[in-house]
Amino acid sequence: MDDLSLEKIEISGPTLASLIQRASSSPGNVDGLIFGQIHRIVSTNLSDDSPAESFASSSSSDKIVATVTSFLCSGKTVSFYDPLGRVDSRRIDSLRVDSPDRLLGWFSARRKTANRPSMRELAVASSLSSQFHLPIKDPENPKSTNMASCVFILLTTPTTDQLIHTHEYRAYQFRYSNQRLEPRSLGIVNIGPAFREHYGSFSPKSGFPPLICEVSSSAMNVDHDEGSLSAIKQAVKDQKEIDALADGLQVGNLKRLVGAEAANYTGGIEEMYERMLAKVESLALEVEKSSARVLELDNHNRKLRYRVARIGR
Amino acid sequence: MEFEGFPPQIADQLHYLLNHSPDSIKIESVCSGNKFNPKILDRFTLVIPYCLETIKWDVIYNSEYAATPPDFIFGPDDEGFMPCSSTIAPDDGQTSLLEKALSEWNNEDSTRLLVLIQGLRDRYVAYQRSRVGQVDDDRVKFEISTVLTRKGIEMQMTSGVDKPEEVKFAVPLVMDMSINKLVVGCPWKHEQKIYLQVVYPILRKIESAPSAPRLRLVSSSDLRSLFSVEDVKLPPWIDGMCLAEYLPHLEETLERQILEAVSEIFLRRSFVEALTPFLGRPLEADPTFCTKASFLAASGPFTFVVHFFFSNQFPKQQPTLMLQSCQHLNQFSVPVKSSLLTEYPWSPRWEVGRMAERLCDFLTDEAMNFKKYCNEAML
């Protein structure tokens, strides 16, 4: 197991904003998991101004960068570990559900406290690092190496009322060798020409199912997929999903968008989009209703908790 | 102390901690981490005495989930202090007590916070001792090895960007007597102790000879009414000396001085008693340490109160007097008082009877001046 140092930790602007929003809207302290990837970036510096040292004129250095892509907030503290800071991997599995990214570490948000890691936070980072390892993606070397480490993001608010800023955040890497949380710079990646280089390590991905346009009765396809029943099943399932989204519109019909029939056909397409929009709107309405219900239950739970703790309102 | 803003269970634990801790812990920077109820307090800083200085630990409860045990943030210099880390193997009974208190937390039990703080403090002592043990300094290594047989020594390593590296020892001085038992009618709850603070500057390699450590005597503030450690002249630290050589001599000196201070209580008492034939029984007197006494006196129809204040240097230093009229009030309706009087005939070699007699002679004269002063103050 390598004990490698992260060059820095990157997070996209929207992810950080949503993390801060989650922390500041929560009633008390919260914690949660963060997901993302780790990349090894090889940067080569070619220089031509020292011919005497031609053998050393190109130096390459490996930089390991962690990129936070998403997070999951538990809504409370001591969610996936015990008061001693020992991580319970079963609770992590139940929390992470089906996040597409790798577990990178965790975060803790607490109001009006010093912005350095607490006793329990250090213990949790240590326990998490020993149970989960960070795989490093390396484009040149497919055999992935693991790091016994984890990323920790701490969000606090200042203890004294300051007018300059209302939220503070810091990123740390837990190093197994010295059992410390070492501060790392947190780079915020935004969209725009100034940030173009940051996307070098981003691998595009989408949750959309793979599009197999013609699953139908082509004789060639049948030949191909003879043996694998499961592949056919999967393809049919995917097709159903697409059909549900397209609301009965055949992919093949799209070719009618060009040519003589186009004028008649656009009306049909527009109608389909309108139906889809209406569907999305009704879905949004449902989400809003259920959110209100969740909030109601949440408030009810809080009242019950206060009653248990005998806190008068 | 007010704990009104705290949830009742946290308030109970705090109460118990502050009242039952052997060290006098203070609480500050109380605030709330609750968004909807910022009046519910759940986080604060504890100021805990350590090595004759204080350390500050932040305690964070979560008022939203009151059943969760608190978390702690230690000082910015104590990054390496990891009391709950798995790398520190529990090796005695106390360590497992701390873990037990955390993992089997019960917020209904008001003693738990004290158990936690004591467990953490014990680990902090061990942590600082191991830090000091790692210091690459021959003298400090030698001192540790020779002085470790003494119980209760606390050590501290201070270092920082703008601070010079230093090692601090707090050594409880051992005396063959209990100070509390020497004082008749002793009012102290805790056993009085005197500590020696020793600060060793850590040598940089270019320096050759180690300089003498800085020494300071520290006692609890209660002891000041009997004996002030600030007045003790410390024996000189001779070059090449070590703590194990220095301490027995210091302890002997202190023992003698404390016995003297106790016998001075009796001297002061006998002087107060010697005043009674002239001034009558005192209105009020400090019966334990005899540091002050007040008498009612009269000069013809003019009655006034005489306050005596005794220093620890009595009879070498004469008592300070203050007169207070019983008949004159100033414009704020406060009795007129004289300034402090220290200039009057006195000799520490007189008998107490003669001291009292001469003092009363002086008072007879001074009464006239004071009456005049009072009459002027009234105008």
Side-chain angles (χ1 to χ4, degrees):
Chain A
M1 199 65 61
D2 299 353
D3 184 52
L4 299 165
S5 171
L6 289 175
E7 174 73 16
K8 63 174 170 179
I9 296 164
E10 288 185 337
I11 188 167
S12 70
T15 311
L16 180 64
S18 125
L19 189 61
I20 292 175
Q21 199 276 334
R22 195 70 176 80
S24 72
S25 63
S26 66
N29 299 354
V30 287
D31 61 21
L33 301 171
I34 53 181
F35 304 96
Q37 300 150 10
I38 295 206
H39 293 275
R40 188 192 296 272
I41 296 171
V42 183
S43 61
T44 312
N45 299 319
L46 290 168
S47 93
D48 53 3
D49 56 5
S50 54
E53 296 171 63
S54 59
F55 61 94
S57 63
S58 80
S59 65
S60 70
S61 57
D62 277 11
K63 285 179 184 169
I64 298 172
V65 175
T67 309
V68 178
T69 53
S70 60
F71 71 93
L72 198 141
C73 181
S74 71
K76 55 178 191 169
T77 49
V78 198
S79 58
F80 59 92
Y81 48 90
D82 69 359
L84 269 170
R86 289 175 301 207
V87 169
D88 185 347
S89 57
R90 279 168 310 172
R91 271 148 94 183
I92 287 198
D93 290 338
S94 68
L95 255 183
R96 74 203 288 192
V97 210
D98 49 8
S99 174
D101 272 322
R102 291 296 204 133
L103 183 67
L104 206 61
W106 72 294
F107 73 90
S108 171
R110 40 181 163 83
R111 283 193 193 87
K112 300 242 177 197
T113 48
N115 59 351
R116 43 178 196 274
S118 73
M119 174 180 89
R120 194 180 295 145
E121 283 156 4
L122 188 63
V124 172
S126 167
S127 174
L128 194 65
S129 301
S130 62
Q131 292 190 29
F132 291 86
H133 299 144
L134 302 181
I136 303 169
K137 282 191 183 173
D138 192 340
E140 287 171 15
N141 180 10
K143 191 171 71 74
S144 70
T145 43
N146 283 336
M147 279 167 81
S149 180
C150 80
V151 169
F152 173 62
I153 295 179
L154 177 63
L155 297 117
T156 55
T157 66
T159 42
T160 50
D161 286 324
Q162 293 176 349
L163 293 172
I164 303 167
H165 54 270
T166 51
H167 292 86
E168 287 171 338
Y169 55 86
R170 281 190 177 186
Y172 297 86
Q173 180 198 2
F174 182 79
R175 295 295 295 274
Y176 211 73
S177 53
N178 60 1
Q179 293 284 313
R180 298 259 179 116
L181 278 165
E182 293 180 356
R184 292 282 178 269
S185 67
L186 189 67
I188 300 167
V189 182
N190 280 318
I191 295 169
F195 293 92
R196 197 160 287 156
E197 60 180 294
H198 292 276
Y199 290 94
S201 62
F202 268 34
S203 56
K205 59 170 61 183
S206 147
F208 203 71
L211 285 167
I212 303 167
C213 284
E214 289 172 61
V215 75
S216 54
S217 57
S218 162
M220 276 170 71
N221 270 354
V222 175
D223 283 348
H224 270 288
D225 293 335
E226 246 176 5
S228 68
L229 189 65
S230 62
I232 298 172
K233 272 188 181 164
Q234 182 62 41
V236 171
K237 197 170 147 259
D238 289 348
Q239 184 62 44
K240 266 188 192 158
E241 265 180 62
I242 297 167
D243 288 348
L245 283 172
D247 209 13
L249 192 98
Q250 295 295 315
V251 177
N253 293 351
L254 286 177
K255 63 173 176 269
R256 287 158 57 192
L257 271 174
V258 222
E261 292 178 81
N264 307 331
Y265 193 63
T266 42
I269 295 275
E270 271 166 14
E271 197 185 317
M272 181 197 81
Y273 277 128
E274 264 164 29
R275 278 207 302 272
M276 280 168 101
L277 269 177
K279 239 190 223 175
V280 168
E281 266 166 25
S282 75
L283 203 63
L285 201 68
E286 255 175 62
V287 167
E288 204 179 305
K289 272 184 198 158
S290 67
S291 296
R293 179 88 183 112
V294 166
L295 184 70
E296 204 177 286
L297 282 174
D298 218 32
N299 284 336
H300 183 65
N301 282 345
R302 179 171 316 111
K303 270 182 201 159
L304 288 179
R305 278 203 307 270
Y306 283 171
R307 201 176 297 163
V308 170
R310 299 198 299 271
I311 301 172
R313 296 211 60 164
Chain B
M1 192 93 211
E2 288 293 313
F3 297 114
E4 261 178 22
F6 287 102
Q9 288 151 349
I10 299 178
D12 288 350
Q13 291 172 24
L14 257 178
H15 246 295
Y16 193 86
L17 171 76
L18 300 189
N19 291 331
H20 291 82
S21 168
D23 315 295
S24 60
I25 295 176
K26 287 194 186 72
I27 170 171
E28 60 179 43
S29 321
V30 178
C31 60
S32 169
N34 199 306
K35 185 182 174 70
F36 300 119
N37 300 286
K39 279 184 190 158
I40 302 178
L41 304 173
D42 61 353
R43 46 206 62 191
F44 48 86
T45 302
L46 291 179
V47 185
I48 303 163
Y50 178 77
C51 202
L52 305 176
E53 317 264 326
T54 52
I55 46 175
K56 288 186 181 184
W57 288 352
D58 298 347
V59 184
I60 308 163
Y61 279 92
N62 188 353
S63 57
E64 279 294 304
Y65 291 87
T68 314
D71 196 6
F72 298 88
I73 303 178
F74 306 114
D77 297 334
D78 294 325
E79 230 196 345
F81 179 45
M82 292 174 278
C84 275
S85 170
S86 50
T87 49
I88 302 174
D91 50 356
D92 52 34
Q94 288 166 331
T95 51
S96 59
L97 256 183
L98 172 66
E99 256 120 48
K100 213 175 151 206
L102 272 174
S103 56
E104 295 167 24
W105 180 259
N106 174 8
N107 66 332
E108 300 277 346
D109 182 352
S110 57
T111 64
R112 288 301 173 98
L113 183 62
L114 176 67
V115 174
L116 274 190
I117 294 289
Q118 282 194 314
L120 287 173
R121 197 181 180 284
D122 288 343
R123 289 216 178 160
Y124 189 75
V125 173
Y127 156 74
Q128 283 289 356
R129 179 166 290 194
S130 80
R131 273 189 80 189
V132 170
Q134 285 160 12
V135 171
D136 183 23
D137 185 285
D138 291 339
R139 174 169 61 175
V140 170
K141 282 193 162 66
F142 180 75
E143 295 285 21
I144 293 173
S145 65
T146 52
V147 94
L148 266 189
T149 47
R150 284 175 168 262
K151 282 200 182 112
I153 295 185
E154 290 180 350
M155 301 178 191
Q156 195 173 25
M157 172 84 212
T158 55
S159 60
V161 186
D162 46 352
K163 286 177 280 184
E165 275 202 341
E166 284 175 347
V167 166
K168 268 184 208 150
F169 281 36
V171 187
L173 298 177
V174 185
M175 275 170 246
D176 288 337
M177 62 211 185
S178 151
I179 302 176
N180 288 31
K181 280 182 191 151
L182 286 174
V183 179
V184 182
C186 162
W188 299 319
K189 256 198 287 180
H190 298 291
E191 180 66 41
Q192 295 300 307
K193 276 194 170 161
I194 302 176
Y195 297 85
L196 180 69
Q197 188 184 53
V198 192
V199 183
Y200 298 99
I202 298 303
L203 281 183
R204 270 163 278 136
K205 291 291 168 207
I206 38 168
E207 287 168 306
S208 52
S211 51
R214 297 202 302 279
L215 303 168
R216 186 167 71 102
L217 280 178
V218 180
S219 74
S220 53
S221 59
D222 288 345
L223 193 65
R224 207 160 293 158
S225 44
L226 171 68
F227 178 73
S228 159
V229 288
E230 283 87 7
D231 297 340
V232 175
K233 197 172 173 293
L234 285 167
W237 182 280
I238 301 153
D239 260 355
M241 213 177 191
C242 74
L243 208 51
E245 283 177 284
Y246 185 82
L247 288 174
H249 179 51
L250 174 67
E251 283 163 348
E252 239 170 66
T253 319
L254 273 176
E255 225 167 275
R256 214 173 42 239
Q257 293 190 6
I258 288 170
L259 285 175
E260 248 168 56
V262 172
S263 70
E264 276 160 10
I265 298 178
F266 293 102
L267 264 178
R268 293 197 289 267
R269 180 170 292 143
S270 62
F271 174 72
V272 172
E273 280 163 1
L275 283 169
T276 42
F278 303 97
L279 297 171
R281 291 186 62 78
L283 280 180
E284 197 177 34
D286 164 16
T288 325
F289 302 107
C290 295
T291 51
K292 51 190 173 203
S294 305
F295 290 85
L296 191 65
S299 163
F302 174 54
T303 51
F304 57 96
V305 178
V306 193
H307 300 287
F308 288 82
F309 304 103
F310 299 94
S311 75
N312 287 338
Q313 305 290 315
F314 182 87
K316 221 183 288 168
Q317 205 176 64
Q318 61 224 67
T320 306
L321 305 184
M322 194 181 69
L323 310 184
Q324 178 186 335
S325 171
C326 298
Q327 291 157 344
H328 301 80
L329 300 178
N330 67 8
Q331 53 192 351
F332 307 109
S333 303
V334 175
V336 179
K337 288 174 184 173
S338 75
S339 53
L340 296 175
L341 304 170
T342 49
E343 298 291 317
Y344 55 86
W346 183 265
S347 165
R349 283 179 295 277
W350 291 339
E351 297 277 316
V352 279
R354 186 156 163 75
M355 284 176 185
E357 193 191 332
R358 292 293 296 265
L359 201 136
C360 291
D361 288 348
F362 166 73
L363 273 180
T364 321
D365 298 340
E366 191 57 29
M368 301 312 290
N369 293 338
F370 182 53
K371 189 179 175 185
K372 210 194 287 171
Y373 171 77
C374 288
N375 286 334
E376 277 163 14
M378 293 273 283
L379 293 175

